[in-house]
Amino acid sequence: MNSSNPLLHRLDQLNRIGVGLSRERNINRLLEDILLAAKGITGADGGTLYRMDDSGSHLRFEIMHTNSLGLALGGTTGKRIDLPDLPLRNAAGEPNLNLVAAYAALKEETVNIADAYDEAGFDFSGTRRFDAQTGYRSRSFLTVPMKNHEEQVIGVLQLINATNLLTGEVTRFSAEDQHLVESLASQAAIALTNRQLIDQLEQLFESFIGLINLAIDEKSHYTGGHCQRVPVLTMLLAEAVNATREGPLADFHMSEKDRYELKIAGLLHDCGKVTTPVHVVDKATKLETLFDRIHLIDTRYEVLKRDAEIRLLRAQLASGEAFDTAAEHALAQQLAASTAELDAERDFLRRINTGGEAMREEDQQQVRDIAAGRRWRDPTGEEQSALSEDEVANLSIRAGTLNAEEREIINHHIVATIRMLEQLPWPKHLRKVPEYAGGHHERMDGKGYPKGLTREQMSVQARIMGIADIFEALTARDRPYKPGLKLSKAMEIMANFARGGHIDPDLFAVFVQQEVYLQYAQTHLASEQIDPVDNAALLAAIN
């Protein structure tokens, strides 16, 4: 539209560049875009972008580009710039005004040099060495400080060798070039500052999340690792689903914002555990409260054994001289039998106290039989059952170590998580965090908690997190109540869950086909847990 008027065309180009810079999220790409844009609107052959370091004492090389040399360093190239930072002051603390980039930063002034080899006011010895090594001829320089909205210099933009587009001849940078680059530098500095502020806020936010997880970790080291591992596994599965191009999940796609939203949800998915009592979270055995009450039962059985021994000694004393060897031997055998029976009962109670995947009905009945038939005298002298009602209830827990009341307390953490997250004023790109984080205990068949949602009522992201949460729990090595399962066993259980309406079968199929479980295992599981998994059998089991 403005091609007939070069100046208007360049102004239009500058405006479009400014819009593009304001949208860029990647710092390295943003820095590169700034330099390339400056080179583009001035026809410069080369250029360097410096950033002020955190101390404000040095300029750091960030991007270097020279067209005629085919040189591209820093930014998105992945190639490091192996040059030392430029000090703004010398060893004596005096300003380094002989370095043109340092001068522009310190004086906050643009420096426009027609020919570096004829310029007496600055030290271009480094430039001459570069030219000697490469065969280049650095001539015209335009060095512009980049100032943010607070008028602080955050970097320096330096262009080299303005080139006449018609003749290819190196010329000096015009006043028009200078004004355009100064305008670009101003826009670029604001865009860069905004991006840095956003990044810093995101880092601060993630650090705050880290503090919450640290608080959970300090309460219970059994859950701190879980809070870190579930997001990792969540993102591995999400990326695998995102890459799927066939099947029912082919239409699922994530942008960078979607990824960040899911990552934050993963990090916060168990934040409600800060409200969960430690003795419930850490309940390693069925009888544990603030301590493991199996030791109380141990003591009672020791009392019962001593009572049996006391009865023997009393019988001996009561018999006097009439107590013969045969009678003594019979009593001794009776004592040995009683002691063996008591030891067997105590060993049984110790064993079942550890919990497990499923307690047998006959073991539950044996607990009830012991409670009904075994009596002891408490410190007041009253005869009591060897097991209280509460102990019977806990020892009879069918799976795991939590009774119904404790499981309700544990389950409440997801309600607390949702309440906590819904209180936050989430920005638009993070508004689904409460839904993703709050849905990882729901089931596809509507039998989950806290809302009893069905598969159709849940987002793909929430369903992904549900799989990640379960798989991490099955394989975790730091649980107090069970060892981490081997991959084959964990995947077998997951397949049963997929078949039984607990987890999403389509997502689980991707989990299997893309071997997401193996990617995770190779980093987060012990070598002895990683055994062969039959993917074909797992997929057949859910189809």
Side-chain angles (χ1 to χ4, degrees):
M1 178 176 65
N2 298 319
S3 56
S4 60
N5 188 321
L7 178 58
L8 289 177
H9 174 71
R10 295 172 78 188
L11 288 173
D12 183 56
Q13 185 181 10
L14 181 64
N15 287 333
R16 284 187 281 107
I17 290 168
V19 172
L21 294 180
S22 67
R23 292 175 177 172
E24 182 56 61
R25 291 177 56 85
N26 184 292
I27 289 286
N28 285 331
R29 193 174 293 116
L30 175 59
L31 295 172
E32 196 167 71
D33 288 348
I34 292 168
L35 180 59
L36 294 178
K39 287 173 72 253
I41 62 175
T42 60
D45 181 55
T48 301
L49 191 148
Y50 305 87
R51 282 177 72 186
M52 192 74 72
D53 70 358
D54 293 338
S55 68
S57 62
H58 289 76
L59 289 174
R60 184 173 61 242
F61 287 88
E62 289 286 352
I63 314 283
M64 290 181 69
H65 273 255
T66 305
N67 294 348
S68 59
L69 293 177
L71 179 69
L73 300 174
T76 62
T77 67
K79 301 175 182 177
R80 291 182 56 189
I81 301 176
D82 193 20
L83 292 171
D85 296 346
L86 296 182
L88 297 183
R89 297 184 179 276
N90 59 27
E94 299 168 339
N96 264 338
L97 298 178
N98 60 329
L99 299 176
V100 64
Y103 181 95
L106 291 167
K107 292 293 187 177
E108 302 181 13
E109 296 175 2
T110 297
V111 180
N112 193 336
I113 295 172
D115 193 328
Y117 282 73
D118 295 335
E119 182 64 41
F122 295 102
D123 178 8
F124 280 102
S125 58
T127 299
R128 290 189 174 93
R129 285 195 299 272
F130 175 82
D131 287 353
Q133 293 170 357
T134 61
Y136 194 67
R137 174 62 166 84
S138 303
R139 185 169 294 158
S140 56
F141 279 74
L142 181 62
T143 309
V144 182
M146 297 170 59
K147 293 193 289 186
N148 64 15
H149 61 288
E150 295 179 342
E151 292 297 308
Q152 296 174 332
V153 175
I154 64 169
V156 171
L157 181 59
Q158 186 173 77
L159 302 176
I160 303 173
N161 287 359
T163 305
N164 187 302
L165 297 179
L166 296 178
T167 65
E169 179 185 356
V170 175
T171 65
R172 72 170 299 155
F173 290 94
S174 66
E176 179 185 301
D177 289 334
Q178 180 174 327
H179 293 324
L180 287 171
V181 174
E182 286 173 342
S183 177
L184 173 62
S186 177
Q187 292 182 62
I190 292 172
L192 179 57
T193 300
N194 287 342
R195 187 65 253 166
Q196 287 175 314
L197 287 173
I198 291 171
D199 285 351
Q200 290 167 3
L201 286 173
E202 288 179 349
Q203 290 171 12
L204 177 62
F205 179 54
E206 290 185 39
S207 297
F208 183 71
I209 294 172
L211 284 179
I212 294 174
N213 289 337
L214 179 62
I216 296 172
D217 192 16
E218 288 296 315
K219 284 182 66 177
S220 167
H221 64 275
Y222 299 122
T223 56
H226 175 79
C227 293
Q228 301 303 319
R229 292 189 292 265
V230 166
V232 172
L233 187 52
T234 295
M235 297 313 297
L236 284 175
L237 178 53
E239 292 296 348
V241 178
N242 191 60
T244 300
R245 294 294 176 265
E246 297 178 352
L249 295 166
D251 294 333
F252 177 80
H253 298 292
M254 292 189 302
S255 66
E256 286 304 311
K257 289 184 178 180
D258 295 333
R259 287 179 172 88
Y260 186 71
E261 186 174 39
L262 183 56
K263 172 188 172 183
I264 294 301
L267 289 169
L268 285 168
H269 82 286
D270 266 352
C271 65
K273 282 186 177 176
V274 296
T275 67
T276 307
V278 178
H279 72 273
V280 177
V281 175
D282 283 4
K283 193 181 182 191
T285 65
K286 295 180 179 181
L287 289 176
E288 186 172 1
T289 50
L290 297 179
F291 64 96
D292 191 348
R293 291 176 292 164
I294 193 67
H295 303 307
L296 296 179
I297 294 175
D298 282 341
T299 301
R300 291 174 204 158
Y301 272 80
E302 284 301 316
V303 170
L304 288 167
K305 288 163 66 176
R306 291 175 189 177
D307 283 349
E309 187 175 2
I310 289 170
R311 284 194 297 272
L312 169 64
L313 295 174
R314 284 177 174 170
Q316 289 176 327
L317 289 173
S319 64
E321 295 181 359
F323 191 75
D324 58 19
T325 303
E328 184 176 1
H329 180 68
L331 286 174
Q333 285 185 319
Q334 182 181 345
L335 175 62
S338 297
T339 301
E341 183 181 353
L342 290 168
D343 285 340
E345 284 183 8
R346 183 168 62 175
D347 289 343
F348 164 75
L349 294 173
R350 283 174 173 172
R351 176 173 60 81
I352 63 165
N353 185 44
T354 58
E357 293 299 328
M359 185 179 184
R360 299 184 307 168
E361 173 58 35
E362 52 264 40
D363 288 341
Q364 292 176 316
Q365 184 58 49
Q366 187 173 346
V367 171
R368 293 190 288 268
D369 291 343
I370 290 173
R374 184 67 64 189
R375 314 290 290 178
W376 79 297
R377 290 192 180 277
D378 66 17
T380 66
E382 292 188 18
E383 193 176 79
Q384 303 281 354
S385 169
L387 300 176
S388 68
E389 290 184 9
D390 182 69
E391 289 164 347
V392 170
N394 278 275
L395 287 169
S396 300
I397 293 171
R398 193 190 66 82
T401 62
L402 299 177
N403 59 38
E405 181 182 353
E406 291 162 341
R407 194 165 295 280
E408 185 65 28
I409 292 172
I410 287 289
N411 289 350
H412 179 74
H413 84 271
I414 194 63
V415 177
T417 293
I418 294 171
R419 287 179 180 172
M420 290 167 64
L421 296 182
E422 287 182 344
Q423 294 300 311
L424 298 176
W426 295 100
K428 183 178 180 181
H429 67 290
L430 294 176
R431 285 180 185 168
K432 294 180 181 177
V433 166
E435 188 251 316
Y436 297 165
H440 69 277
H441 282 300
E442 300 290 352
R443 292 176 46 133
M444 303 306 99
D445 57 10
K447 297 178 182 178
Y449 61 90
K451 297 181 180 180
L453 302 177
T454 63
R455 178 183 182 181
E456 293 71 25
Q457 295 172 307
M458 297 173 64
S459 63
V460 172
Q461 287 88 338
R463 286 180 262 159
I464 286 173
M465 197 170 297
I467 289 178
D469 186 73
I470 293 171
F471 185 76
E472 193 286 330
L474 290 173
T475 57
R477 293 175 288 158
D478 54 9
R479 295 298 189 274
Y481 47 82
K482 69 170 187 64
L485 299 179
K486 288 190 173 184
L487 270 185
S488 58
K489 181 61 177 176
M491 292 298 287
E492 179 186 334
I493 293 172
M494 294 290 287
N496 289 335
F497 283 166
R499 188 169 57 251
H502 195 138
I503 61 176
D504 188 315
D506 295 332
L507 288 173
F508 181 67
V510 175
F511 192 69
V512 175
Q513 291 167 341
Q514 302 300 320
E515 295 191 331
V516 176
Y517 64 88
L518 188 57
Q519 296 176 52
Y520 173 80
Q522 289 169 343
T523 305
H524 294 87
L525 300 188
S527 58
E528 59 269 19
Q529 288 181 264
I530 305 176
D531 62 342
V533 174
D534 189 340
N535 288 353
L538 291 172
L539 293 172
I542 63 174
N543 291 326

